[in-house]
């Protein structure tokens, strides 16, 4: 089973509108962290926002916020007032505490959502 | 400026050849990672290293090898045993050894490898 599911392969959004990118995750570890990364056409991965499983409040970073619904295991990224420069691939990723301690140490990524902002 | 440098940006390999992708970081990070990205796919972990002279296999290590002789360098060799090496390869580093969930990974700009 996939650990990170992003159900929107692509999205078109009008400039200045808000956009929500969906992410659901699967883990039995009570301690985990969720990340969102942006990948522009240049290829590098840019960290956007982080949410810890025990964080009481939804994370916010400028125009980015995370709608964290722990019981539903969802961590949707919300971009307010979208801009043309927001056009990119967006990846949701997870790090699990148990997974980090004994096995592979990296992040588990979803397949991404290709967001295109239209003028 | 601190960051991660991957070279080359584009690499072409003939079938049967080994090639080495370079990754250098000047962030003084302990942990380094190699990921593979295929079109329409997320990143998959190839190898990671938490400390010099030590590294661990990730989810798709077959056909790849790495070394970690210096803290700042983590080269990846794509061997002829890798059946489908054409992909985009990303190197990353993080401050600690993954003991903190919060630690973000910083990425290089990637190397696009094509087998011809």
């Amino acid at each position: 089973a996939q650990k990170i599911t992003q159900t929107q392969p692509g999205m078109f959004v009008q400039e200045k509108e808000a956009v929500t990118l969906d992410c659901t995750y699967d883990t039995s570890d009570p301690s985990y962290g969720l990340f969102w990364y942006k990948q522009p056409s240049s290829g590098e991965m840019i960290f956007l926002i982080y949410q810890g499983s025990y964080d009481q409040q939804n994370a916010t970073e400028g125009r980015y916020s995370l709608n964290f619904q722990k019981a539903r295991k969802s961590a949707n990224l919300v971009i307010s007032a979208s801009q043309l420069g927001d056009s990119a691939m967006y990846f949701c990723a997870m790090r699990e505490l148990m997974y980090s301690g004994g096995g592979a140490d990296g992040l588990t990524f979803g397949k991404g959502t290709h967001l295109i902002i239209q003028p | 400026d601190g960051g991660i440098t991957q070279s080359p940006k584009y690499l072409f390999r003939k079938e049967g050849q080994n090639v080495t992708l370079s990754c250098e970081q000047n962030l003084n990070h302990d942990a380094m990672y190699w990921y593979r990205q295929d079109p329409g796919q997320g990143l998959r972990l190839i190898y990671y290293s938490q400390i010099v002279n030590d590294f661990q296999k990730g989810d798709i290590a077959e056909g790849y090898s790495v070394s970690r002789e210096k803290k700042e360098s983590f080269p990846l060799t794509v061997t002829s045993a890798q059946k489908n090496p054409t992909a985009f390869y990303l190197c990353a580093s993080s401050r600690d050894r993954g003991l903190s969930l919060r630690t973000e990974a910083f990425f290089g700009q990637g190397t696009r490898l094509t087998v011809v």
Side-chain angles (χ1 to χ4, degrees):
Chain A
Q2 283 193 358
K3 288 204 168 190
I4 299 287
T5 302
Q6 295 180 252
T7 57
Q8 306 150 311
M11 286 184 73
F12 289 87
V13 173
Q14 287 295 119
E15 190 180 8
K16 299 180 184 176
E17 287 183 352
V19 56
T20 297
L21 305 180
D22 295 340
C23 172
T24 57
Y25 58 91
D26 181 27
T27 180
S28 57
D29 192 338
S31 300
Y32 53 90
L34 297 158
F35 299 76
W36 276 92
Y37 280 87
K38 173 184 179 181
Q39 186 181 40
S41 56
S42 57
E44 74 215 82
M45 300 285 282
I46 302 168
F47 167 73
L48 297 177
I49 197 167
Y50 169 83
Q51 180 84 42
S53 59
Y54 293 116
D55 292 345
Q56 295 298 311
Q57 298 200 341
N58 287 346
T60 60
E61 290 283 351
R63 292 188 300 114
Y64 304 108
S65 61
L66 208 151
N67 183 3
F68 182 46
Q69 298 188 40
K70 193 171 181 177
R72 294 186 178 185
K73 293 188 176 179
S74 78
N76 298 340
L77 177 70
V78 180
I79 306 173
S80 62
S82 58
Q83 303 170 355
L84 295 178
D86 293 333
S87 295
M89 286 291 294
Y90 288 81
F91 291 94
C92 179
M94 177 172 64
R95 174 181 283 134
E96 300 160 283
L97 181 64
M98 287 192 301
Y99 196 51
S100 291
D105 193 41
L107 296 163
T108 302
F109 285 82
K111 293 188 176 183
T113 296
H114 190 189
L115 176 63
I116 297 174
I117 307 299
Q118 296 175 312
Chain B
D1 272 81
I4 300 176
T5 302
Q6 289 187 242
S7 61
K9 191 170 182 179
Y10 299 95
L11 187 57
F12 296 89
R13 188 196 93 171
K14 291 183 179 179
E15 285 197 31
Q17 283 183 338
N18 293 354
V19 288
T20 298
L21 283 59
S22 170
C23 177
E24 303 276 332
Q25 55 99 357
N26 59 5
L27 300 167
N28 199 33
H29 284 172
D30 285 322
M32 296 188 74
Y33 313 84
W34 274 105
Y35 290 91
R36 170 180 172 142
Q37 185 179 22
D38 294 286
Q41 301 292 319
L43 279 64
R44 292 182 290 168
L45 184 65
I46 304 173
Y47 267 99
Y48 69 102
S49 169
Q50 296 177 321
I51 197 169
V52 173
N53 292 323
D54 185 56
F55 48 83
Q56 305 295 327
K57 292 182 179 180
D59 300 318
I60 55 165
E62 186 174 349
Y64 300 97
S65 66
V66 293
S67 62
R68 187 87 186 276
E69 297 176 2
K70 300 186 294 182
K71 187 176 184 177
E72 57 270 22
S73 178
F74 191 41
L76 173 74
T77 296
V78 184
T79 74
S80 56
Q82 169 50 236
K83 299 304 179 192
N84 185 20
T86 295
F88 188 58
Y89 291 88
L90 281 159
C91 178
S93 71
S94 63
R95 187 181 66 244
D96 61 27
R97 302 176 190 180
L99 298 178
S100 166
L101 290 168
R102 174 63 178 88
T103 303
E104 69 189 82
F106 293 81
F107 285 82
Q109 294 213 325
T111 293
R112 193 167 299 278
L113 173 64
T114 304
V115 173
V116 296

